[in-house]
């Protein structure tokens, strides 16, 4: 009996004790309303601690009544200090907002971006420091992986349509930025801030990217030779400290099949070894006749953080593509609508097999809180195996040499080539104060080397058959030397010169299985196969000075560019060019929401090494020189969820190369004297509400040739808008997710883009009409599954994204849909 009474008494004591405790529950959110995971939460002096979950939630239970100091810390975020009062039998509920702190971030991107919204606050591309975009004195546009996911984007061309001032030149990896052409073969692209290139013929996939960003205007003061319009940087996904896995399956128009996977998380309990693995498989036919694309993408990334001062990262992107090379649509005469946008000149047995790899190793070490050292190395490799039937860029002819609009003359390329690039980047960051002034100093060195080794080769079959054997260009003055055949058009038969490669008949659409062994070939040396070697040494110094509301950026770079003309021959000689590149910028904070800025920078870009070495080009040529004047404002609204930026600019450039349009020598180039681009850009990005995302972009760009040199025939180019550079273009995309109970899980997306009329690049009279496209999407999320349908070009508009002339047009896709199901676990 005594024992029972004791147990009852003990139980009452415990109950009384429990009655005197309380709880703390809370959630930590970003400014955009997104949950923030992996924030360490402690109650000071209690020994109690926890880590926020994926949605930012945390909880403490069984706390004695009283006052507590809650402290939250996370890499890249400002410390949270919050006093909390706990009462018996009650739960104190907190909702806290965390803000990023650039001072605490690594100076290179090693671990993954924690944001999961359309908005990105920080960039490394503009200053090689983790600088808030609003504090960079130069315009930066970007697209995050969340935008690309919601729009169902897989290729770069679909991503950049959301950026102001960026337009497709063709449907290859080929763009204009502020009116200046920048393509994948130009070796001025960046991946994670390091120099690379692509195979040009195919747009890079984006499934392994965290974001795509463009710094507008020349970035030469940091990166050496770059395009004066802007520089594209592809930022790969980096490992995260918390496990995340997702699988995505897409199918839809044009027999598209796409499977993607993204896995990330720690590889050990201490979270000092992190991994990320992105996989992709795509098999799609495309809307163009005979076109297809099979892509395999493998992109692993590993981060090693042995201490809080040392970070090592390894990235690999491997892409294998099997496809046909699409040289575009041809039409009859000047009638854009005389053939279907599906029209392709390929043979059934054409092929383009490409293999690309990018291997990056980087190290960041912090000697002290204010001093860090960074070294990174990127190796790019590319190989191409090609057989194509393509346009000869002219029509077929009759016996008098007059063009027959219905026939497109064709040629055949058989080519194998390989190219490689190495970029080593070393730089030291040091922060210090002098009185009221804060300094961020960057000192660095770059080495870049690009090689097309001996061993590439091409055979070309073209021209008209000769009675004496062989093939050559047709001469109407000596028709007796050529083989003729009967050609029937509209019931009328006539005898015309017989081509080495059968003409493509736009009425018949003769895409056949051809026998390449029957053609008469010539071995050709051109820009794709000529051995090339160039190297660049660059030294740079940059100072970011902050005094109260004023920030000043000063940069200076010295480059030594060496191109080996006649590489691998007995006449190999070095062509050395030097450049001194200043950069001056300033940002002034008017209010907490508004910064104004101005900048001046100079740029240069040596002429492509293959053009310099081509004996038929007319070179060597002087390097391109440019200067940028820009001013604007950068603002944040709605508690930092939404940004609105605007800029005005003027870019001046000299020594650009254009085709001389010489029929007897298509490789001949001319160096235009001067060009000017003036414009205005406007961008809005972010969240109006936590469940309402928005992107708006608009640009006006007046990009013209101002000096066409001394040739009278070239004066027609003066004051003519530059090729494939619309004066006006813009886009909008918005996504709204319903939060009321009846429609919980549903979301809708709506957007569109437009460009105005453009000039083609090698014809002075032909133009491309402007167009407006409307796109939409619907979403439904239930538990860990999301269903998504993207509807593109709803009005089924016929349009062209770019073109060289009316024999090489690049049409956009007709109305199409993509259905996606994803599972996150």
């Amino acid at each position: 009996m005594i024992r029972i009474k004791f147990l009852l008494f003990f139980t009452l004591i415990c109950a009384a004790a429990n009655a005197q405790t309380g709880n703390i529950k809370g959630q930590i959110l970003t400014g955009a309303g997104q949950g923030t995971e992996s924030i360490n939460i402690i109650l000071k002096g209690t020994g109690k601690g926890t880590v926020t979950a994926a949605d930012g939630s945390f909880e403490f239970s069984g706390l004695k009544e009283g006052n507590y100091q809650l402290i939250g810390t996370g890499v890249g975020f400002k410390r949270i200090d919050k006093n909390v009062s706990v009462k018996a039998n009650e739960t104190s509920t907190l909702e806290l907002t965390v803000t990023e702190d650039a001072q605490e971030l690594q100076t290179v991107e090693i671990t993954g971006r924690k944001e999961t919204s359309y908005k990105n606050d920080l960039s490394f591309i503009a200053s090689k420091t983790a600088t808030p975009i609003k504090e960079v004195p130069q315009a930066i546009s970007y697209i995050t992986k969340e935008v690309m996911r919601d729009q169902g984007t897989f290729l770069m061309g679909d991503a950049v349509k959301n950026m102001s001032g960026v337009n497709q030149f063709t449907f290859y990896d080929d763009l204009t930025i502020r009116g200046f052409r920048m393509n994948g073969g130009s070796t001025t692209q960046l991946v994670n801030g390091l120099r690379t290139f692509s195979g040009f013929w195919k747009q890079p996939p984006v499934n392994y990217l965290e974001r795509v960003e463009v710094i507008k205007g020349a970035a030469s003061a940091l990166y050496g030779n770059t395009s004066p319009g802007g520089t594209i940087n592809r930022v790969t996904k980096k490992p995260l400290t918390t496990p995340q896995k997702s699988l995505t399956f897409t199918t839809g128009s044009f027999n598209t099949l796409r499977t993607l996977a993204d896995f990330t998380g720690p590889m050990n309990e201490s979270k000092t070894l992190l991994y990320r693995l992105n996989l992709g498989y795509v098999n799609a036919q495309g809307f163009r006749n005979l076109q297809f694309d099979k892509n395999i993408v493998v992109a692993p990334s590993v981060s090693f953080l042995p201490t809080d001062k040392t970070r090592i990262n390894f990235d690999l992107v491997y892409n294998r593509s099997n496809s046909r090379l699409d040289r575009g649509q041809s039409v009859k005469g000047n009638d854009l609508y005389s053939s279907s946008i599906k029209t392709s000149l390929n043979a059934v047995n054409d092929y383009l097999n490409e293999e690309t790899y990018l291997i990056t190793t980087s190290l960041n070490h912090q000697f002290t809180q204010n001093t860090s050292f960074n070294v990174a190395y990127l190796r790019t490799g590319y190989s191409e195996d090609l057989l194509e039937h393509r346009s000869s860029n002219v029509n077929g002819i009759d016996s008098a040499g007059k063009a027959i609009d219905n026939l497109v003359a064709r040629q055949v390329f058989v080519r194998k080539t390989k190219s490689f690039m190495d970029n080593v980047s070393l730089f030291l960051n040091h922060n210090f104060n002098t009185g009221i002034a804060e300094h961020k100093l960057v000192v660095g060195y770059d080495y870049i080397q690009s090689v097309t080794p001996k061993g590439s080769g091409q055979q070309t079959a073209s021209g008209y058959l000769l009675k004496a054997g062989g093939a050559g260009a047709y001469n109407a003055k000596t028709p007796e030397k050529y083989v003729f055949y009967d050609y029937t058009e509209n019931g009328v038969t006539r005898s015309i010169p017989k081509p080495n490669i059968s003409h493509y008949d736009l009425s018949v659409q003769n895409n056949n299985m051809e026998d390449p062994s029957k053609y008469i070939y010539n071995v050709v040396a051109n820009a794709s196969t000529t051995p090339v070697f160039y190297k660049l040494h660059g030294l740079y110094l940059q100072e970011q000075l902050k005094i109260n509301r004023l920030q000043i950026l000063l940069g200076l770079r010295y480059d030594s560019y060496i191109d080996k003309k006649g590489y691998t021959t007995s006449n190999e000689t070095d062509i050395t060019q030097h450049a001194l590149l200043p950069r001056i910028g300033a940002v002034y904070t008017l209010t907490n929401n508004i910064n104004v800025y101005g900048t001046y920078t100079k740029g240069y870009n040596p002429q492509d090494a293959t053009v310099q070495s081509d004996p038929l080009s007319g070179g060597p040529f002087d390097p391109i020189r440019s200067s940028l004047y820009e001013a604007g404002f950068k603002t944040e609204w709605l508690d930092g969820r939404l940004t609105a930026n605007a800029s005005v600019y003027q870019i001046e450039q000299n020594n650009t190369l254009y085709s001389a349009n010489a029929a007897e020598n298509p490789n001949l180039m001319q160096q235009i004297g001067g060009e000017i681009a003036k414009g205005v850009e406007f961008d809005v990005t972010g969240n109006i509400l936590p469940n309402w995302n928005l992107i708006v972009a608009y640009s006006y760009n007046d990009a013209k040739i101002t000096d066409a040199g001394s040739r009278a025939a070239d004066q027609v180019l003066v004051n003519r808008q530059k090729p494939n550079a619309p004066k006006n273009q813009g886009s909008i995309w918005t996504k709204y997710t319903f939060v009321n109970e009846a429609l919980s899980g549903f979301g809708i997306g709506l957007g569109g883009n437009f460009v105005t009329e453009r000039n083609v690049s090698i014809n002075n009279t032909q133009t491309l009409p402007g167009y407006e496209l409307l796109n939409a999407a619907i979403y439904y999320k239930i538990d860990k599954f999301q269903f998504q349908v993207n509807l593109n070009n709803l009005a089924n508009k016929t349009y062209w994204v770019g073109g060289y002339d009316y024999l090489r047009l690049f049409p956009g896709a007709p109305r199409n849909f993509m259905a996606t199901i994803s599972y996150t676990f």
Side-chain angles (χ1 to χ4, degrees):
M1 188 69 178
I2 294 175
R3 182 176 295 179
I4 293 174
K5 288 181 179 181
F6 175 78
L7 289 174
L8 288 173
F9 176 76
F10 182 76
T11 302
L12 289 172
I13 291 295
C14 291
N18 287 333
Q20 302 305 311
T21 63
N23 306 314
I24 297 176
K25 292 183 67 174
Q27 187 177 24
I28 296 182
L29 305 173
T30 64
Q34 302 289 327
T36 307
E37 61 181 337
S38 299
I39 299 295
N40 295 305
I41 308 293
I42 64 170
L43 295 177
K44 188 175 180 180
T46 66
K48 293 182 179 293
T50 187
V51 177
T52 56
D55 62 352
S57 62
F58 66 91
E59 182 176 0
F60 293 98
S61 58
L63 300 174
K64 293 181 180 180
E65 187 173 10
N67 296 320
Y68 295 87
Q69 183 181 1
L70 182 147
I71 298 174
T73 58
V75 176
F77 295 104
K78 290 183 178 180
R79 171 172 157 154
I80 298 172
D81 280 286
K82 180 72 174 178
N83 292 321
V84 187
S85 179
V86 174
K87 295 183 179 180
N89 302 320
E90 293 184 9
T91 298
S92 297
T93 302
L94 304 175
E95 185 174 290
L96 305 173
T97 301
V98 69
T99 56
E100 289 197 353
D101 185 356
Q103 301 295 330
E104 294 182 4
L105 288 174
Q106 68 271 17
T107 49
V108 291
E109 287 185 275
I110 297 289
T111 53
R113 165 179 171 267
K114 293 182 172 65
E115 294 170 299
T116 56
S117 68
Y118 286 13
K119 185 170 172 283
N120 180 61
D121 293 322
L122 295 159
S123 177
F124 295 81
I125 185 179
S127 61
K128 294 204 173 182
T129 61
T131 302
I133 291 176
K134 67 180 181 180
E135 296 179 8
V136 175
Q138 205 161 337
I140 294 177
S141 292
Y142 63 85
I143 299 298
T144 65
K145 67 179 185 298
E146 288 75 22
V147 179
M148 295 185 279
R149 176 200 62 202
D150 289 347
Q151 294 184 349
T153 298
F154 183 72
L155 296 176
M156 182 72 73
D158 292 322
V160 300
K161 69 184 180 184
N162 298 284
M163 297 178 175
S164 62
V166 183
N167 186 68
Q168 287 186 254
F169 197 97
T170 62
F171 47 42
Y172 308 134
D173 185 16
D174 191 13
L175 306 169
T176 59
I177 306 175
R178 290 183 170 178
F180 295 91
R181 190 176 183 185
M182 199 287 301
N183 60 61
S186 65
T187 69
T188 57
Q189 290 190 18
L190 302 176
V191 168
N192 298 323
L194 296 167
R195 187 73 64 90
T196 189
F197 68 96
S198 75
F200 178 71
W201 306 121
K202 298 294 179 181
Q203 298 173 22
V206 299
N207 66 295
Y208 58 89
L209 297 181
E210 179 65 40
R211 66 183 178 276
V212 179
E213 55 189 5
V214 176
I215 180 169
K216 306 292 185 62
S220 298
L222 274 183
Y223 299 102
N225 59 305
T226 58
S227 168
T231 301
I232 288 184
N233 184 37
R234 288 178 280 155
V235 181
T236 59
K237 293 176 181 177
K238 301 297 191 299
L240 298 174
T241 56
T242 53
Q244 290 185 17
K245 300 178 180 67
S246 68
L247 297 172
T248 303
F249 175 80
T250 299
T251 188
S253 300
F254 320 130
N255 297 314
T256 296
L257 171 65
R258 184 188 308 157
T259 303
L260 308 176
D262 183 1
F263 306 137
T264 187
M267 298 173 69
N268 57 7
E269 291 185 5
S270 61
K271 297 185 179 181
T272 58
L273 192 61
L274 313 175
Y275 85 98
R276 191 150 194 169
L277 177 62
N278 277 267
L279 303 172
Y281 171 75
V282 179
N283 189 343
Q285 294 298 118
F287 72 94
R288 306 258 301 136
N289 291 338
L290 273 75
Q291 302 309 315
F292 72 93
D293 195 11
K294 293 182 180 179
N295 261 292
I296 295 176
V297 181
V298 180
S301 178
V302 177
S303 293
F304 179 43
L305 290 72
T307 71
D308 58 355
K309 295 183 178 181
T310 303
R311 300 166 184 244
I312 301 169
N313 203 81
F314 170 82
D315 288 281
L316 168 66
V317 178
Y318 173 81
N319 183 199
R320 183 175 181 178
S321 171
N322 303 112
S323 64
R324 289 192 181 97
L325 177 48
D326 187 354
R327 292 284 187 167
Q329 172 198 5
S330 297
V331 299
K332 301 176 185 178
N334 287 315
D335 185 357
L336 271 176
Y337 302 92
S338 60
S339 72
S340 167
I341 60 172
K342 298 180 180 180
T343 303
S344 164
L345 274 58
N346 289 102
V348 174
N349 48 324
D350 284 352
Y351 57 82
L352 170 62
N353 299 324
E354 297 177 290
E355 194 171 63
T356 305
Y357 65 81
L358 298 92
I359 302 175
T360 308
T361 304
S362 58
L363 165 69
N364 168 242
H365 179 72
Q366 290 193 325
F367 296 104
T368 68
Q369 185 177 359
N370 296 316
T371 305
S372 66
F373 173 74
N374 306 272
V375 57
Y377 168 68
L378 171 61
R379 169 77 166 180
T380 303
Y382 170 77
S383 65
E384 172 190 300
D385 184 10
L386 171 70
L387 167 64
E388 64 165 334
H389 289 68
R390 53 158 293 182
S391 164
S392 291
N393 311 328
V394 293
N395 287 99
I397 55 176
D398 62 14
S399 58
K402 183 180 178 181
I404 303 173
D405 284 349
N406 208 48
L407 297 180
V408 181
R410 289 196 297 182
Q411 56 187 326
V412 166
F413 287 179
V414 181
R415 181 167 65 230
K416 289 189 177 184
T417 185
K418 292 184 178 181
S419 297
F420 305 93
M421 174 172 276
D422 299 276
N423 184 187
V424 178
S425 176
L426 311 170
F427 59 98
L428 183 76
N429 297 74
H430 181 61
N431 302 336
F432 62 98
N433 297 333
T434 55
I436 63 170
E438 301 175 15
H439 304 264
K440 289 184 179 180
L441 188 66
V442 179
V443 181
Y445 165 77
D446 282 337
Y447 176 76
I448 298 165
Q449 175 179 295
S450 182
V451 181
T452 299
K454 198 171 184 66
S456 298
Q458 177 174 318
Q459 289 185 319
T460 299
S462 60
Y464 291 85
L465 296 177
L466 297 164
K467 289 181 179 178
Y474 182 73
N475 186 345
K477 295 180 180 179
T478 56
E480 68 278 1
K481 294 182 178 180
Y482 298 87
V483 178
F484 279 69
Y485 78 109
D486 290 338
Y487 170 67
T488 301
E489 180 185 8
N490 298 324
V492 178
T493 300
R494 52 181 164 163
S495 185
I496 65 173
K498 187 173 184 178
N500 185 10
I501 313 299
S502 61
H503 293 323
Y504 189 85
D505 193 324
L506 291 170
S507 298
V508 177
Q509 301 275 309
N510 51 309
N511 301 101
N512 301 319
M513 178 83 77
E514 304 287 356
D515 184 357
S517 66
K518 294 181 178 179
Y519 305 146
I520 299 169
Y521 292 93
N522 291 313
V523 176
V524 212
N526 58 24
S528 299
T529 60
T530 301
V532 168
F533 180 97
Y534 83 75
K535 59 184 177 181
L536 181 150
H537 298 275
L539 292 169
Y540 57 92
L541 175 67
Q542 177 184 274
E543 155 79 323
Q544 290 174 274
L545 172 67
K546 183 175 182 180
I547 304 175
N548 297 324
R549 293 173 175 264
L550 177 65
Q551 298 183 63
I552 298 174
L553 187 151
L554 303 172
L556 187 66
R557 180 181 175 109
Y558 176 78
D559 266 11
S560 179
Y561 182 97
I562 302 168
D563 172 25
K564 291 186 178 295
K565 184 177 182 180
Y567 177 54
T568 74
T569 71
S570 57
N571 297 321
E572 180 177 305
T573 56
D574 287 351
I575 299 176
T576 303
Q577 302 172 61
H578 304 284
L580 190 64
L581 306 164
R583 181 189 187 193
I584 303 171
V587 180
Y588 185 77
T589 302
L590 289 177
T591 70
N592 290 336
N593 300 93
I594 303 174
N595 286 358
V596 295
Y597 75 91
T599 194
Y600 168 77
T601 184
K602 294 188 74 68
Y604 90 112
N605 200 358
Q607 304 295 352
D608 191 277
T610 55
V611 177
Q612 296 279 45
S613 298
D614 186 351
L616 301 178
S617 68
F621 300 99
D622 295 330
I624 297 171
R625 301 283 181 177
S626 65
S627 58
L628 166 72
Y629 306 85
E630 180 177 307
F633 64 83
K634 301 185 179 186
T635 69
E636 285 190 347
W637 307 99
L638 304 178
D639 295 324
R641 295 196 309 268
L642 191 74
T643 63
N645 304 327
S647 62
V648 295
Y649 62 86
Q650 176 174 302
I651 301 172
E652 299 175 1
Q653 176 172 278
N654 298 308
N655 299 333
T656 307
L657 285 184
Y658 281 87
S659 170
N661 295 323
E664 70 283 357
N665 180 12
N667 291 336
L668 186 64
M669 306 296 289
Q670 58 180 329
Q671 199 153 26
I672 298 299
E675 302 170 73
I676 292 182
K678 302 177 182 179
V680 178
E681 294 174 341
F682 179 69
D683 296 272
V684 177
T685 307
N687 301 68
I688 298 175
L689 296 170
N691 59 315
W692 186 3
N693 303 311
L694 178 69
I695 298 178
V696 179
Y698 168 76
S699 65
Y700 169 79
N701 180 43
D702 184 17
K704 293 180 178 178
I705 295 171
T706 56
D707 180 0
S710 58
R711 292 200 330 174
D714 298 330
Q715 299 312 305
V716 67
L717 300 173
V718 175
N719 291 323
R720 177 179 169 83
Q721 185 78 358
K722 292 185 63 184
N724 293 308
K727 277 198 172 182
N728 294 275
Q729 69 179 101
S731 64
I732 184 171
W733 175 262
T734 185
K735 177 189 176 184
Y736 184 83
T737 304
F738 294 94
V739 293
N740 58 309
E741 186 175 349
L743 294 173
S744 178
F746 276 99
I748 56 173
L750 186 65
N753 62 290
F754 78 93
V755 302
T756 52
E757 183 182 71
R758 291 139 295 146
N759 297 318
V760 295
S761 61
I762 63 172
N763 187 292
N764 295 330
T765 61
Q766 295 173 337
T767 61
L768 299 174
Y771 61 87
E772 308 84 28
L773 302 179
L774 182 64
N775 307 311
I778 54 174
Y779 312 89
Y780 179 60
K781 188 173 184 179
I782 178 171
D783 195 18
K784 297 180 179 181
F785 287 92
Q786 176 169 294
F787 302 89
Q788 171 179 336
V789 178
N790 290 88
L791 308 166
N792 303 309
N793 192 3
L794 289 175
N796 203 26
K797 291 268 189 177
T798 297
Y799 67 102
W800 292 268
V801 299
Y804 295 117
D805 57 16
Y806 282 9
L807 290 178
R808 286 182 291 173
L809 294 162
F810 301 98
R815 182 190 295 125
N816 64 89
F817 81 95
M818 294 292 160
T820 301
I821 181 172
S822 58
Y823 176 64
T824 302
F825 56 102

